[in-house]
Amino acid sequence: MTKHIFFLIIVVFGVFSFSSCKKDSPSYPGGEVSAYIGIYDVRTLFKGTPIELNLETLGGSSKITGIVTSDHSAGNLPHGVLVLQDRRRLDLLRGISIQMGEKANEYSPGDSIVVDLIGGKLQRLNGILQITDISSNKIEKISDGNRYQALRVTADQILKEPTKYESTLIVLVKGGFSYTPREGQILSGDQKINDGFGFITVRTNPESELANLPQHKMANYLGILFNEVSGDSLVPYQSLRTKSDLVQIRSEYKTPKVVVTGLLNDPSGSTDANYEYMQFLATEDIDFSKTPFSVVTTNNANASTPTGIPINGWATGGLRTYKINLIVGSVKKGQFFYVGGTNKLIAGEKSTSISDAHWVANYDYANKAGYDFGTKTGNLLANSGNAFGVAVFSTIQVTATTIPEDLVFVSTGGSLVSANAGYRIANTDFYDIVNPVTLTNQPFYRNGDNTKAFVYASPSADTFIQFNGEFNMTLGRWTKSRVQNNVLLTKESKLQEVENELSTKLVE
């Protein structure tokens, strides 16, 4: 991939403001409006009809500056668009297209340019918001070879706000098809790519140099996001620029034998002890007496000991991690099953019995130490803003280096990770052992971009945290990443409230 690209996963909410827009600038004696206006601000000027760009409409400014991201060398971008982006406003990376005709081909990614907007027009052409009527003598190239950024976004974010990322260089991570590509299938035309959060069209001109790129089972797609008009709506699509914008992912994403689908961490009553439980979904038939598994919980509340970084990860023990072995019983593919305390009640003391649910382990964690590690405790899972989590292992031999089948974390607080120690993750819908963009190792939770977590429920008492997703057994991947659904239970709630149409599903 081109040496000029500097991938940065942008998850920072902007706290800086600039004086590029007159209406947001305070009036100071002797103050002057900047000649430069941010691309973000230019985009907000458009209200659906073409607008002339002059000192009045631009609030006293006259120019934009940014880094070029368009590359027409492979013939795959919309004709004549020069695309640049900046972060001058609110620290938000935003792009804009300038209609330049054949002159657009003269610019390369990494060129830093200044554009005089006076006399231009802002309008939507062929679905793309563009600045038109700009002659080449109004563009000054300042330098070349500059680093620039690609914004990592997900399909659901794009589909929710299709104009927000328009003309911005984006990367769709872990994109795949709704089928397993056969050898010889190529990228030519419009292809629907699923990144676990939805489907986005990747458009490849059949006449371009990119038309014969292979379809990969899983890949990263780097390209510029554009829109086209469909009826009364704008429909987004991404266009790759060069062959290096398609990067096959070779990391192993195996089908987990069990996935975590829900938990109750804060049953109401005088105590949580032996009322907490976790829900799982089997992706294959398992006889635990022949193929033993284990479940490990982690509680990182401030009172949990040992304190500090969990050097032994999931095997830390004490009040930090607790292990329950699954060594009896069996489960069928597609069946929910439960692991938890001895009481088998849906929402703590005096609530409905769910003893008829498929329980694989009911363990007296309030009075017994865990299998191999874990001190007896009244709380397997935290009732605070500090992180707590659940991991399931296809073994009962769990050490600092053992990788789970699946795991979830709720919240982010506490002492969780260092460069060489922490809670190991698996390749899941949320986590990647190797960063799929930078290809650097990130084996622990809170390591690299493994920062996602579900949100601590409020109110927490009697809230079953349901993780709703869709795992495709044929493709061996999540085609709908898990999202959180908080189910507020009552003492009269039934099992159907935690096993229903919103639960995680297996699809073939």
Side-chain angles (χ1 to χ4, degrees), residues 197-229:
F197 296 88
F199 285 90
I200 292 293
T201 296
V202 172
R203 176 165 295 172
T204 308
N205 183 348
E207 305 300 321
S208 77
E209 294 179 9
L210 311 186
N212 291 318
L213 285 175
Q215 293 186 12
H216 296 303
K217 180 179 179 181
M218 191 178 294
N220 294 336
Y221 294 80
L222 177 74
I224 299 174
L225 191 75
F226 298 106
N227 284 303
E228 64 180 352
V229 177

Short mmCIF file of all heavy atoms in Angstrom, two decimals, residues 197-229:
data_model
loop_
_atom_site.label_atom_id
_atom_site.label_comp_id
_atom_site.label_asym_id
_atom_site.label_seq_id
_atom_site.Cartn_x
_atom_site.Cartn_y
_atom_site.Cartn_z
N PHE A 197 -21.61 -4.89 10.22
CA PHE A 197 -22.52 -3.86 10.69
C PHE A 197 -23.54 -3.47 9.63
O PHE A 197 -24.40 -2.62 9.86
CB PHE A 197 -21.73 -2.61 11.13
CG PHE A 197 -20.83 -2.84 12.30
CD1 PHE A 197 -19.53 -3.30 12.12
CD2 PHE A 197 -21.28 -2.64 13.60
CE1 PHE A 197 -18.70 -3.53 13.20
CE2 PHE A 197 -20.45 -2.86 14.68
CZ PHE A 197 -19.16 -3.32 14.48
N GLY A 198 -23.45 -4.08 8.45
CA GLY A 198 -24.36 -3.76 7.38
C GLY A 198 -23.67 -3.96 6.03
O GLY A 198 -22.51 -4.38 5.96
N PHE A 199 -24.40 -3.64 4.96
CA PHE A 199 -23.87 -3.81 3.61
C PHE A 199 -23.64 -2.45 2.95
O PHE A 199 -24.50 -1.57 3.00
CB PHE A 199 -24.84 -4.61 2.74
CG PHE A 199 -24.86 -6.08 3.06
CD1 PHE A 199 -25.73 -6.60 4.00
CD2 PHE A 199 -24.00 -6.95 2.39
CE1 PHE A 199 -25.75 -7.96 4.29
CE2 PHE A 199 -24.01 -8.31 2.67
CZ PHE A 199 -24.88 -8.82 3.62
N ILE A 200 -22.48 -2.31 2.34
CA ILE A 200 -22.13 -1.12 1.56
C ILE A 200 -21.69 -1.58 0.17
O ILE A 200 -20.97 -2.57 0.03
CB ILE A 200 -20.98 -0.32 2.23
CG1 ILE A 200 -21.46 0.31 3.53
CG2 ILE A 200 -20.45 0.77 1.30
CD1 ILE A 200 -22.50 1.39 3.37
N THR A 201 -22.10 -0.84 -0.86
CA THR A 201 -21.68 -1.16 -2.22
C THR A 201 -20.26 -0.69 -2.46
O THR A 201 -19.91 0.47 -2.19
CB THR A 201 -22.62 -0.49 -3.24
OG1 THR A 201 -23.93 -1.04 -3.11
CG2 THR A 201 -22.12 -0.71 -4.66
N VAL A 202 -19.43 -1.58 -2.96
CA VAL A 202 -18.11 -1.22 -3.47
C VAL A 202 -18.22 -1.26 -5.00
O VAL A 202 -18.53 -2.29 -5.58
CB VAL A 202 -17.02 -2.18 -2.97
CG1 VAL A 202 -15.69 -1.90 -3.67
CG2 VAL A 202 -16.85 -2.03 -1.46
N ARG A 203 -17.99 -0.11 -5.63
CA ARG A 203 -18.21 0.03 -7.07
C ARG A 203 -16.88 -0.01 -7.81
O ARG A 203 -15.96 0.76 -7.51
CB ARG A 203 -18.94 1.33 -7.36
CG ARG A 203 -19.14 1.63 -8.85
CD ARG A 203 -20.19 2.71 -9.04
NE ARG A 203 -21.50 2.24 -8.58
CZ ARG A 203 -22.58 3.01 -8.49
NH1 ARG A 203 -22.50 4.30 -8.82
NH2 ARG A 203 -23.72 2.51 -8.07
N THR A 204 -16.79 -0.91 -8.80
CA THR A 204 -15.58 -1.04 -9.60
C THR A 204 -15.94 -0.94 -11.07
O THR A 204 -16.71 -1.77 -11.59
CB THR A 204 -14.88 -2.39 -9.32
OG1 THR A 204 -14.69 -2.54 -7.91
CG2 THR A 204 -13.54 -2.44 -10.02
N ASN A 205 -15.41 0.06 -11.72
CA ASN A 205 -15.65 0.27 -13.15
C ASN A 205 -15.12 -0.94 -13.94
O ASN A 205 -13.94 -1.27 -13.85
CB ASN A 205 -14.94 1.54 -13.60
CG ASN A 205 -15.18 1.88 -15.04
OD1 ASN A 205 -15.70 1.08 -15.82
ND2 ASN A 205 -14.77 3.08 -15.43
N PRO A 206 -15.99 -1.62 -14.71
CA PRO A 206 -15.54 -2.79 -15.47
C PRO A 206 -14.42 -2.47 -16.45
O PRO A 206 -13.71 -3.39 -16.88
CB PRO A 206 -16.81 -3.22 -16.22
CG PRO A 206 -17.94 -2.68 -15.41
CD PRO A 206 -17.44 -1.38 -14.85
N GLU A 207 -14.24 -1.19 -16.80
CA GLU A 207 -13.17 -0.80 -17.72
C GLU A 207 -11.89 -0.38 -17.00
O GLU A 207 -10.89 -0.05 -17.64
CB GLU A 207 -13.65 0.35 -18.61
CG GLU A 207 -14.93 0.06 -19.38
CD GLU A 207 -14.78 -1.13 -20.31
OE1 GLU A 207 -13.70 -1.26 -20.93
OE2 GLU A 207 -15.73 -1.93 -20.41
N SER A 208 -11.92 -0.39 -15.68
CA SER A 208 -10.76 0.08 -14.93
C SER A 208 -9.74 -1.03 -14.74
O SER A 208 -10.02 -2.21 -14.96
CB SER A 208 -11.19 0.61 -13.56
OG SER A 208 -11.47 -0.46 -12.68
N GLU A 209 -8.55 -0.63 -14.27
CA GLU A 209 -7.50 -1.60 -13.99
C GLU A 209 -7.84 -2.48 -12.79
O GLU A 209 -7.20 -3.52 -12.58
CB GLU A 209 -6.18 -0.87 -13.70
CG GLU A 209 -5.61 -0.11 -14.88
CD GLU A 209 -4.32 0.60 -14.53
OE1 GLU A 209 -3.80 0.36 -13.41
OE2 GLU A 209 -3.83 1.38 -15.36
N LEU A 210 -8.86 -2.08 -12.03
CA LEU A 210 -9.21 -2.82 -10.81
C LEU A 210 -10.27 -3.88 -11.05
O LEU A 210 -10.58 -4.65 -10.14
CB LEU A 210 -9.70 -1.85 -9.73
CG LEU A 210 -8.84 -0.62 -9.45
CD1 LEU A 210 -9.39 0.14 -8.27
CD2 LEU A 210 -7.39 -1.02 -9.22
N ALA A 211 -10.82 -3.92 -12.26
CA ALA A 211 -11.97 -4.78 -12.52
C ALA A 211 -11.67 -6.26 -12.26
O ALA A 211 -12.55 -7.02 -11.85
CB ALA A 211 -12.45 -4.60 -13.96
N ASN A 212 -10.44 -6.68 -12.48
CA ASN A 212 -10.09 -8.10 -12.33
C ASN A 212 -9.50 -8.44 -10.97
O ASN A 212 -8.99 -9.56 -10.79
CB ASN A 212 -9.12 -8.52 -13.44
CG ASN A 212 -9.79 -8.54 -14.80
OD1 ASN A 212 -10.92 -9.00 -14.94
ND2 ASN A 212 -9.09 -8.03 -15.81
N LEU A 213 -9.60 -7.51 -10.01
CA LEU A 213 -9.16 -7.84 -8.66
C LEU A 213 -10.01 -8.99 -8.13
O LEU A 213 -11.22 -9.05 -8.36
CB LEU A 213 -9.29 -6.63 -7.74
CG LEU A 213 -8.25 -5.51 -7.90
CD1 LEU A 213 -8.60 -4.34 -7.00
CD2 LEU A 213 -6.86 -6.03 -7.58
N PRO A 214 -9.41 -9.92 -7.39
CA PRO A 214 -10.17 -11.08 -6.91
C PRO A 214 -11.11 -10.73 -5.76
O PRO A 214 -10.85 -9.79 -5.00
CB PRO A 214 -9.07 -12.04 -6.43
CG PRO A 214 -7.94 -11.13 -6.04
CD PRO A 214 -7.98 -9.99 -7.01
N GLN A 215 -12.18 -11.46 -5.66
CA GLN A 215 -13.04 -11.38 -4.49
C GLN A 215 -12.41 -12.23 -3.38
O GLN A 215 -12.11 -13.40 -3.59
CB GLN A 215 -14.44 -11.89 -4.81
CG GLN A 215 -15.22 -11.03 -5.78
CD GLN A 215 -16.65 -11.50 -5.94
OE1 GLN A 215 -17.14 -12.33 -5.18
NE2 GLN A 215 -17.34 -10.96 -6.94
N HIS A 216 -12.21 -11.61 -2.23
CA HIS A 216 -11.63 -12.31 -1.08
C HIS A 216 -12.71 -12.64 -0.07
O HIS A 216 -13.70 -11.91 0.07
CB HIS A 216 -10.56 -11.45 -0.41
CG HIS A 216 -9.37 -11.16 -1.27
ND1 HIS A 216 -8.60 -12.16 -1.83
CD2 HIS A 216 -8.83 -9.98 -1.66
CE1 HIS A 216 -7.62 -11.60 -2.53
NE2 HIS A 216 -7.74 -10.29 -2.45
N LYS A 217 -12.50 -13.72 0.65
CA LYS A 217 -13.44 -14.09 1.71
C LYS A 217 -13.55 -12.95 2.73
O LYS A 217 -14.64 -12.63 3.21
CB LYS A 217 -13.00 -15.38 2.39
CG LYS A 217 -13.93 -15.83 3.51
CD LYS A 217 -13.47 -17.14 4.14
CE LYS A 217 -14.40 -17.56 5.28
NZ LYS A 217 -13.95 -18.82 5.91
N MET A 218 -12.42 -12.35 3.06
CA MET A 218 -12.40 -11.22 3.99
C MET A 218 -11.27 -10.28 3.60
O MET A 218 -10.16 -10.72 3.30
CB MET A 218 -12.24 -11.68 5.43
CG MET A 218 -12.49 -10.60 6.47
SD MET A 218 -12.35 -11.22 8.19
CE MET A 218 -13.73 -12.35 8.26
N ALA A 219 -11.55 -8.98 3.60
CA ALA A 219 -10.54 -8.01 3.18
C ALA A 219 -10.87 -6.65 3.76
O ALA A 219 -11.99 -6.40 4.21
CB ALA A 219 -10.46 -7.93 1.65
N ASN A 220 -9.88 -5.76 3.73
CA ASN A 220 -10.10 -4.35 4.02
C ASN A 220 -10.27 -3.60 2.70
O ASN A 220 -9.52 -3.85 1.75
CB ASN A 220 -8.91 -3.75 4.79
CG ASN A 220 -8.77 -4.34 6.17
OD1 ASN A 220 -9.73 -4.84 6.75
ND2 ASN A 220 -7.56 -4.28 6.72
N TYR A 221 -11.22 -2.68 2.67
CA TYR A 221 -11.50 -1.91 1.47
C TYR A 221 -11.23 -0.44 1.77
O TYR A 221 -11.96 0.20 2.54
CB TYR A 221 -12.95 -2.12 1.03
CG TYR A 221 -13.25 -3.52 0.58
CD1 TYR A 221 -13.49 -4.53 1.51
CD2 TYR A 221 -13.27 -3.85 -0.77
CE1 TYR A 221 -13.75 -5.84 1.10
CE2 TYR A 221 -13.53 -5.15 -1.19
CZ TYR A 221 -13.76 -6.13 -0.24
OH TYR A 221 -14.01 -7.42 -0.65
N LEU A 222 -10.17 0.09 1.19
CA LEU A 222 -9.80 1.49 1.34
C LEU A 222 -10.27 2.23 0.10
O LEU A 222 -9.98 1.82 -1.02
CB LEU A 222 -8.29 1.63 1.50
CG LEU A 222 -7.75 3.06 1.60
CD1 LEU A 222 -8.07 3.65 2.96
CD2 LEU A 222 -6.25 3.07 1.35
N GLY A 223 -11.01 3.31 0.28
CA GLY A 223 -11.47 4.05 -0.88
C GLY A 223 -12.25 5.28 -0.48
O GLY A 223 -12.45 5.55 0.71
N ILE A 224 -12.69 6.03 -1.47
CA ILE A 224 -13.42 7.27 -1.21
C ILE A 224 -14.91 6.98 -1.28
O ILE A 224 -15.38 6.26 -2.16
CB ILE A 224 -13.02 8.35 -2.24
CG1 ILE A 224 -11.52 8.64 -2.12
CG2 ILE A 224 -13.82 9.64 -2.01
CD1 ILE A 224 -10.98 9.58 -3.18
N LEU A 225 -15.64 7.53 -0.33
CA LEU A 225 -17.08 7.33 -0.26
C LEU A 225 -17.79 8.40 -1.08
O LEU A 225 -17.51 9.60 -0.94
CB LEU A 225 -17.57 7.37 1.18
CG LEU A 225 -19.01 6.91 1.38
CD1 LEU A 225 -19.10 5.39 1.25
CD2 LEU A 225 -19.57 7.37 2.70
N PHE A 226 -18.70 7.97 -1.94
CA PHE A 226 -19.52 8.87 -2.73
C PHE A 226 -20.99 8.51 -2.54
O PHE A 226 -21.32 7.50 -1.90
CB PHE A 226 -19.16 8.79 -4.22
CG PHE A 226 -17.74 9.18 -4.54
CD1 PHE A 226 -16.80 8.21 -4.87
CD2 PHE A 226 -17.35 10.50 -4.51
CE1 PHE A 226 -15.50 8.56 -5.17
CE2 PHE A 226 -16.04 10.87 -4.81
CZ PHE A 226 -15.12 9.90 -5.14
N ASN A 227 -21.88 9.34 -3.09
CA ASN A 227 -23.31 9.06 -3.06
C ASN A 227 -23.88 9.14 -4.47
O ASN A 227 -23.35 9.85 -5.33
CB ASN A 227 -24.05 10.08 -2.18
CG ASN A 227 -23.87 9.81 -0.70
OD1 ASN A 227 -24.18 8.73 -0.22
ND2 ASN A 227 -23.34 10.78 0.03
N GLU A 228 -24.96 8.41 -4.68
CA GLU A 228 -25.75 8.55 -5.90
C GLU A 228 -27.21 8.70 -5.51
O GLU A 228 -27.62 8.31 -4.41
CB GLU A 228 -25.56 7.35 -6.82
CG GLU A 228 -26.05 6.04 -6.25
CD GLU A 228 -25.82 4.89 -7.21
OE1 GLU A 228 -25.43 5.14 -8.36
OE2 GLU A 228 -26.03 3.72 -6.80
N VAL A 229 -28.00 9.29 -6.40
CA VAL A 229 -29.40 9.52 -6.12
C VAL A 229 -30.22 8.30 -6.51
O VAL A 229 -30.06 7.74 -7.59
CB VAL A 229 -29.91 10.76 -6.88
CG1 VAL A 229 -31.40 10.97 -6.64
CG2 VAL A 229 -29.13 12.01 -6.44
#
